[in-house]
Each structure stands twice: as structure tokens, then as C-alpha cells.
Amino acid sequence: MRLGIILVLISLTISSQLIGQQKSTKIYSKNPDEIFLGAIISKKSINTEKHEFVKMKTNQKLQAISSTFKYEYPAIIPSKSNMNKIIIDEFNSAGLPTTTPGGAVFSLWSIQSYNELNIRFGQKMDFSKWFGLDPKAKMAKSNILIEYEIPLFDLYLDLFTDAINNYVQEIKALKNDDLIYISNISWGRKALILVQSDFDENKVKPALYNYLDNKALTEEQSIILETASISYNIFDDTKLELTDPNPLKTVISYITAPITKDNYGGILYFFGSELDGAWFENSF
């Protein structure tokens, strides 16, 4: 995870407001170094500062499958190193993952509360850590969220095998009702960019659309972007050098960079399975 804050010419203040409870089965990993297919995780830790994992010895070989049909994975004993090995082996054998036609696609909408950002992560987040925001400060007049995402490939467990049934029984033997296991992981590149401005929203959005579509900006639109406060989070442990006069360009350049064996993005999100076979749904 990398975050950044870009203050351009003016400092804006920000605030947090409560909204109703949200739910999600798609969860961002706060500590991706510990994520692997079959990893056992505490449900109660999902909305805390760091996800907590439980180590368990097993000899079960779990079958990995991908919706990216060119990849065929062997069954593995669940571990981070085993998962990484079969990914690289498939890259060497079948080639690197490719982006969808048209490449990165962005979405843009306004938010009224920082808590609305939680749904993009599927859990409760610390905005000061993940976006560099002060949730106690007053929000700007206009708060626009831009989301870029390029999904590249995924891995999920075949849940209809004797091995997975045996694995679940081993987890049940730990006698801990708080546990689920990771049954699906998706990789790619993603960025959330929060643009805050004291200009009216009906002026900020057109300026952003023109910029993101590489269209000419009016003099007022240039001023809007130059005086905006921009915070971002990329779903990858990559340091961005914010040397471009327009920092939006730096984030977009990361998203659209060539895919390589050493740089194929990060874990975008995972799904968890309950021990009774149901999908885990997080409430926050």
C-alpha cells in the first residue's frame, strides 16, 4: 500500500460524517504480504488496523483455478511461497496477463462523508493512514473521488474437492468460531484519488473530465486543478515519484505502465469463505 497527499497552493480542511452500516464480500488486504490462497484469517480483525492470520500445519493440496483461462495451476499446500511460485511458473509458461480492451477505465463521483470511502475497501479504514486525511477536520466544498482499476488475473480455490473438505475440517479442529479462509484473490492495478476543492462541484467535475479525457482546459478549469487538494491510495507497495507538475498524471502513469513479471500490480481484493461453505460478508 502506498498513499500520498498533494497540497497545491491552498490547504483544505476535511471532516467525517457517519452513514449507515455497509456490507461487502470483497475485501482489500491491509497486509498483503501475509495473504495467500487458503490463508486462515480472523473475522474480527477485518475492521481493525491489521488483519490477523492463524498459522496451521497441513498436508492438504488445494486446487487453484483461474477465470483467466490461459492459466492452469497445480494443486498446492497453501502457503505464500507456493502460491507465488505457481503464479510465476504460469507467467513463464503461458505469458503475462493482459489488460482488457481500452486499458484503464475510470469512474468519478462525489462523496459527502469520508466513511463512503470504506466501501471501496470493503471494511473500516483509518483515513489518516490510508489517505493522509484528518477525519475530524471540515470537508471541502466539493469532494470528488476518482477510481482507476485494471484487473489482471485471479486465483480461487476449487471448493468441490476432498482436499478442501479435509482442510476445512482441520480448521474446525482449532475450535475457533472467528476463523474464515481466503478462497479467492484478484490482482491488478488500482488507484483511488480524492480531489477536494472550494469551487462548486458543477465546475470541478467538468474540469476533471476534460483533464482525464486529455481535452483542453479553460483558464478557470486550470485554476480549479491547480488549487485543489489531492489525496491518493494505490493498491500496491510502489513508491510514486510525484515530480510531474500535475500529480494526477503520475498516478495515471503508474496505472497504465507496461505489465512485467516484476510489476504486475498488487492484490486488489480477496474473498473469504465461512467454514459452513457460505461467502463471508463483512459489516462495517
Side-chain angles (χ1 to χ4, degrees), residues 211-232:
Y211 177 78
L212 296 171
D213 290 332
N214 293 314
K215 295 180 180 179
L217 301 177
T218 66
E219 182 177 355
E220 182 182 50
Q221 288 175 339
S222 295
I223 293 173
I224 289 172
L225 296 184
E226 288 169 359
T227 58
S229 172
I230 302 174
S231 305
Y232 72 88

Side-chain angles (χ1 to χ4, degrees), residues 6 146 148 191 193 195 208 210-215 217 225 230 232 234 240-257:
I6 309 148
I146 306 168
Y148 268 96
I193 308 168
V195 180
L208 288 171
N210 280 354
Y211 177 78
L212 296 171
D213 290 332
N214 293 314
K215 295 180 180 179
L217 301 177
L225 296 184
I230 302 174
Y232 72 88
I234 61 172
L240 301 186
E241 298 295 335
L242 298 172
T243 56
D244 195 281
N246 192 323
L248 283 172
K249 184 71 74 178
T250 302
V251 179
I252 296 170
S253 295
Y254 155 76
I255 290 288
T256 57

Side-chain angles (χ1 to χ4, degrees), residues 8-252:
V8 189
L9 300 183
I10 64 172
S11 297
L12 299 179
T13 53
I14 39 194
S15 70
S16 176
Q17 304 171 8
L18 294 176
I19 59 175
Q21 188 180 64
Q22 302 175 84
K23 295 183 178 182
S24 179
T25 56
K26 184 186 295 186
I27 302 168
Y28 169 72
S29 175
K30 291 173 178 171
N31 34 315
D33 288 345
E34 299 182 65
I35 286 283
F36 58 88
L37 207 61
I40 304 168
I41 187 171
S42 161
K43 292 185 281 188
K44 293 178 181 177
S45 73
I46 298 295
N47 294 315
T48 64
E49 181 65 24
K50 186 177 181 180
H51 296 161
E52 296 177 3
F53 295 85
V54 173
K55 294 182 180 180
M56 183 186 75
K57 290 185 178 180
T58 182
N59 292 319
Q60 302 300 326
K61 288 191 174 183
L62 308 183
Q63 182 60 57
I65 307 174
S66 178
S67 64
T68 308
F69 296 117
K70 72 178 182 179
Y71 296 135
E72 295 183 6
Y73 297 99
I76 57 170
I77 294 175
S79 73
K80 184 75 171 182
S81 60
N82 286 344
M83 182 185 74
N84 288 343
K85 182 180 185 303
I86 63 171
I87 289 173
I88 296 303
D89 285 349
E90 276 303 292
F91 285 178
N92 290 332
S93 174
L96 293 169
T98 55
T99 60
T100 55
V105 176
F106 72 87
S107 303
L108 185 152
W109 62 90
S110 59
I111 63 170
Q112 305 301 318
S113 164
Y114 290 134
N115 282 341
E116 294 179 50
L117 296 173
N118 284 329
I119 194 63
R120 313 317 305 171
F121 296 89
Q123 64 203 287
K124 186 180 292 185
M125 304 296 292
D126 180 349
F127 303 123
S128 62
K129 175 181 178 179
W130 297 91
F131 271 91
L133 301 172
D134 180 0
K136 296 181 180 179
K138 183 181 177 182
M139 291 188 79
K141 187 174 185 179
S142 298
N143 301 272
I144 312 299
L145 185 66
I146 306 168
E147 180 175 14
Y148 268 96
E149 181 173 332
I150 299 181
L152 291 175
F153 69 101
D154 61 11
L155 273 178
Y156 58 93
L157 291 174
D158 184 347
L159 302 180
F160 302 97
T161 64
D162 290 338
I164 196 68
N165 291 332
N166 294 337
Y167 188 63
V168 168
Q169 292 305 314
E170 292 176 357
I171 300 174
K172 287 181 177 180
L174 299 176
K175 298 186 182 303
N176 187 340
D177 294 335
D178 182 44
L179 302 180
I180 57 174
Y181 64 96
I182 294 175
S183 53
N184 184 304
I185 305 175
S186 290
W187 283 262
R189 290 179 180 160
K190 182 172 181 174
L192 294 177
I193 308 168
L194 180 61
V195 180
Q196 299 174 291
S197 174
D198 281 339
F199 282 87
D200 289 336
E201 183 180 308
N202 60 8
K203 293 185 177 181
V204 178
K205 280 188 174 181
L208 288 171
Y209 275 120
N210 280 354
Y211 177 78
L212 296 171
D213 290 332
N214 293 314
K215 295 180 180 179
L217 301 177
T218 66
E219 182 177 355
E220 182 182 50
Q221 288 175 339
S222 295
I223 293 173
I224 289 172
L225 296 184
E226 288 169 359
T227 58
S229 172
I230 302 174
S231 305
Y232 72 88
N233 180 287
I234 61 172
F235 289 46
D236 193 359
D237 192 23
T238 299
K239 184 177 181 180
L240 301 186
E241 298 295 335
L242 298 172
T243 56
D244 195 281
N246 192 323
L248 283 172
K249 184 71 74 178
T250 302
V251 179
I252 296 170

